[in-house]
DNA sequence: TACCGTTTTTGTACGCGTAAGGAAACTAGC
DNA sequence: GCTAGTTTCCTTACGCGTACAAAAACGGTA
């Protein structure tokens, strides 16, 4: 189509498509048909190639998903105004990350990365670490604090998403109700008394509250 | 081999093996050869049957893994002496759960359950909820608090395990170091200054510290 | 031109989880 | 004994991720 823009500068067979093309096509596919339909064969067909050709641009499917997540985060996590108060800034940054990731339904398969943040959402990480330091933590404590916030956030998303998925294709909720209904009040009095309310209580969104609690504890610990 | 011990009381073709046998055999297989080698075909061969026969005892492979995890938790999470002081009791119970699960290397594939605890480790959940109430929280706050502790714990395990797995079969750490080495100090001063120390800092085990911080915050919030 | 080293693509093949439907093994009623 | 009903098991087949090896497409040299 386009004329060779410059004399080739690399040796070897020229690639028919780029890694970015792979990611972009994968994103289109996921957006259009859902993450289940993203298979290496389907993606190759969409690109007009063969499955194994993809593997020269991407180590394996997991890496593709990580790239996809990075791409998504890079587009979604645009820098916003954050509060000036350091504590509020930490909260806002963590909640921004959480919101962006929770809105990404196919996230769970990838969201077990400890270094996801290292590629595109680093600015938010910076805000969190800086905010913690501004609150009186040492840099070491701040990094550890960030890790704790990340554990909490990732755990919330993964647990909640998986629960939703399981609920979708089985009667697991019913099963849990049965378990809670059959509890022995003598042995597990608190849980037995809570009984049916457990399902409702655990269905509530307590991410912000827990986040604040964790942060409070982190700061108290740093000060103490 | 053995004579029919009693006239059959159920209608239909008698099963050649039980669900418990499936779980037990799967456990043996996992213990002996690792979770990667646990495939439906291999398991069926071990039992002396066919893959599809398993599906009448187990909905799918994920359910098998959940059963396996329950089985494991039921054997590992024996009730121990816990401290009398409620705050210490909560910490000890959470740490017991964390320790048991973190020692179970194949956990990650399943550890995205929000209702794992509902089958075998309920006693610990009871201890946590009860301890939180004893610390002054309402039952509702206690349940929410337990959820937060669970998010944090599950997140820590999943993130850490996946990081270890990725580190095992790739040079992802190197990649992360490159990212951190190339940071612009003007834009991300905190992270740039931390630089190489990031890897060391995030490698430390901060689970107990974060757990205490979270608990502190939960109790402060409940009291305030 | 012919060849070489390099990089990318392709073809083939394996084991995987599991959907679908038929076969097999039992009990209950006749 | 015979059938009908019920439960469990097996056969076949599909699409999946991807290992492995051969082929193809280039730039560089002779």
């Amino acid at each position: 189509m386009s004329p060779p823009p410059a004399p080739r500068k690399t040796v070897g067979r020229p690639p028919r498509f780029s890694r970015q093309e792979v990611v972009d096509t994968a994103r289109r596919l996921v957006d259009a048909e859902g993450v289940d339909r993203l298979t290496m064969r389907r993606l190759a067909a969409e690109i007009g190639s063969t499955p194994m050709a993809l593997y020269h641009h991407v180590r394996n499917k997991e890496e593709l998903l990580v790239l996809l997540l990075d791409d998504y985060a890079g587009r979604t996590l645009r820098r916003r105004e954050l509060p000036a108060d350091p504590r509020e800034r930490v909260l806002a940054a963590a909640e921004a990350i959480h919101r962006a990731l929770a809105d990404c339904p196919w996230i769970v398969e990838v969201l077990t990365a400890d270094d996801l943040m290292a590629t595109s959402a680093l600015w938010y990480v910076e805000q969190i670490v800086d905010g913690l330091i501004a609150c009186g933590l040492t840099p070491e404590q701040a990094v550890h604090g960030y890790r704790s916030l990340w554990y909490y956030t990732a755990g919330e998303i993964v647990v909640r998403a998986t629960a939703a998925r399981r609920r979708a294709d089985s009667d697991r909720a019913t099963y849990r109700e049965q378990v809670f209904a059959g509890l022995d009040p003598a042995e597990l009095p608190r849980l037995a008394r809570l009984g049916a309310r457990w399902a409702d209580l655990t269905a509530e969104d307590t991410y912000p509250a827990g986040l604040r609690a964790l942060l409070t504890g982190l700061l108290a610990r740093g000060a103490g």
Side-chain angles (χ1 to χ4, degrees), chain A:
Chain A
M1 190 64 79
S2 57
R8 297 206 43 72
K9 53 206 168 188
T10 62
V11 332
R13 177 172 180 168
R16 294 164 56 91
F17 51 93
S18 69
R19 176 172 162 139
Q20 192 56 48
E21 262 177 277
V22 175
V23 174
D24 290 345
T25 310
R27 174 153 65 93
R28 271 201 304 102
L29 236 164
V30 167
D31 287 349
E33 314 189 20
V35 72
D36 313 338
R37 302 289 287 273
L38 176 66
T39 73
M40 299 303 269
R41 293 165 204 266
R42 183 106 174 61
L43 178 56
E46 203 75 13
I47 289 186
S49 182
T50 60
M52 290 311 293
L54 301 174
Y55 285 81
H56 270 264
H57 302 269
V58 150
R59 190 194 308 270
N60 49 32
K61 191 176 180 184
E62 177 173 352
E63 178 171 306
L64 172 63
L65 289 174
V66 171
L67 290 174
L68 220 47
L69 178 55
D70 274 0
D71 177 77
Y72 172 83
R75 282 178 297 111
T76 310
L77 275 176
R78 296 264 144 261
R79 305 182 184 187
R80 306 176 203 280
E81 283 296 315
L82 291 188
D85 175 66
R87 182 192 152 100
E88 292 304 317
R89 194 160 84 244
V90 173
L91 290 174
E95 281 174 336
I97 294 176
H98 178 261
R99 199 179 321 112
L101 297 184
D103 282 351
C104 197
W106 45 270
I107 212 79
V108 192
E109 328 210 6
V110 202
L111 190 59
T112 47
D114 74 331
D115 45 7
L116 154 73
M117 307 282 97
T119 55
S120 55
L122 278 182
W123 185 75
Y124 281 90
V125 179
E126 170 84 15
Q127 297 309 308
I128 290 175
V129 171
D130 185 67
L132 291 175
I133 293 174
C135 285
L137 298 197
T138 69
E140 292 78 14
Q141 288 173 328
V143 172
H144 290 156
Y146 159 72
R147 292 286 283 186
S148 291
L149 293 168
W150 173 238
Y151 292 153
Y152 172 73
T153 300
E156 200 269 355
I157 292 171
V158 170
V159 167
R160 197 164 280 280
T162 309
R165 180 167 53 81
R166 293 228 175 99
R167 214 173 304 119
D169 58 27
S170 86
D171 27 29
R172 198 154 183 90
T174 310
Y175 167 67
R176 186 170 60 184
E177 281 167 19
Q178 286 175 359
V179 170
F180 266 80
L183 290 184
D184 178 6
E187 263 207 306
L188 305 174
R190 296 296 188 191
L191 302 187
R193 175 175 270 274
L194 281 159
R197 297 184 56 207
W198 184 270
D200 298 334
L201 285 173
T202 59
E204 291 176 25
D205 175 20
T206 60
Y207 173 78
L211 180 68
R212 280 164 179 75
L214 178 52
L215 179 56
T216 298
L218 289 172
L219 297 183
R221 190 149 206 85

